[in-house]
Amino acid sequence: MRRRDGESGFSLIETMIATMLLATAVAGTAQLMVIATRGNIAAQRSTFATTLAQDKIETLRGLAWGFDELGLPINDYTTNLTVDPPTNDGVGLSPSPGDSLAANTTNYVDYLDRDGRIIGTGPTVPNGASFVRRWSIEPLPTNPNNTLILQVMVYSTGDRVDDGEGVVLDRVRDEARLVSVKTRKSR
């Protein structure tokens, strides 16, 4: 059979080459989709951890720390922030131990489920915990009676590595840390 002018088509080899090029492009695009999905999940976890840290910072900043009408200091050293709603059997704005950000320290840690609800406290992470939230309260060395440094750290329970005794070895990428200062204000 002879081809007439203008009736040319693709050969089998041309079709196979075109198919391989298309398959390679689709495979590359699929890999990019997987990478993008992982990035979005990590960003979502990081954003949620930051929101949980911000919530605790705002709670700490909302506790009483000022002066009354006579100029006497007002301190909240009794609010328990490890339960929701807070109760009056805690430590409030009492200075925390030096390692409260590095270890699960009673009164300075709570555990949250995947929706951000507090499900426990204490040195041991309970089942069902998705996030660990630790905080520290330190007097400012240059003005310890009137200014506090508040720090909050939140991380996903699946991301941390510890030394077996609850001490974290290093930071991870989805960890959120916030720092704020609280100063007494007169009324």
Side-chain angles (χ1 to χ4, degrees):
M1 289 184 144
R2 291 186 163 202
R3 288 188 198 175
R4 293 186 193 171
D5 289 340
E7 290 186 15
S8 64
F10 293 105
S11 70
L12 182 59
I13 292 176
E14 290 173 326
T15 305
M16 287 178 59
I17 290 173
T19 303
M20 281 197 256
L21 288 173
L22 183 62
T24 302
V26 169
T29 303
Q31 280 184 314
L32 286 176
M33 293 296 289
V34 169
I35 291 169
T37 300
R38 286 182 184 159
N40 284 338
I41 290 169
Q44 181 183 20
R45 284 187 1 193
S46 179
T47 300
F48 193 55
T50 302
T51 301
L52 294 172
Q54 182 67 33
D55 182 54
K56 185 58 76 176
I57 282 279
E58 291 301 323
T59 301
L60 289 166
R61 290 185 55 74
L63 296 179
W65 182 260
F67 295 104
D68 65 9
E69 290 81 20
L70 300 175
L72 300 173
I74 299 172
N75 309 312
D76 184 337
Y77 292 141
T78 61
T79 300
N80 183 351
L81 299 175
T82 62
V83 294
D84 190 28
T87 58
N88 288 326
D89 58 348
V91 296
L93 291 172
S94 300
S96 58
D99 66 345
S100 64
L101 289 179
N104 297 335
T105 307
T106 301
N107 295 316
Y108 298 95
V109 64
D110 55 23
Y111 307 102
L112 307 130
D113 65 11
R114 65 186 179 119
D115 297 320
R117 291 184 296 252
I118 297 173
I119 61 170
T121 187
T124 306
V125 180
N127 290 335
S130 294
F131 294 93
V132 176
R133 181 169 55 188
R134 297 175 180 162
W135 59 94
S136 72
I137 302 165
E138 303 169 27
L140 182 68
T142 58
N143 190 4
N145 294 323
N146 296 315
T147 305
L148 299 174
I149 301 169
L150 310 173
Q151 297 183 69
V152 177
M153 176 182 71
V154 178
Y155 62 88
S156 174
T157 56
D159 287 343
R160 296 302 277 195
V161 178
D162 65 41
D163 66 359
E165 297 186 16
V167 177
V168 174
L169 300 177
D170 60 357
R171 293 183 65 174
V172 293
R173 68 180 182 276
D174 292 334
E175 176 180 286
R177 288 188 186 217
L178 298 178
V179 179
S180 183
V181 177
K182 184 166 179 67
T183 302
R184 291 188 197 272
K185 295 178 187 169
S186 58
R187 290 185 172 184

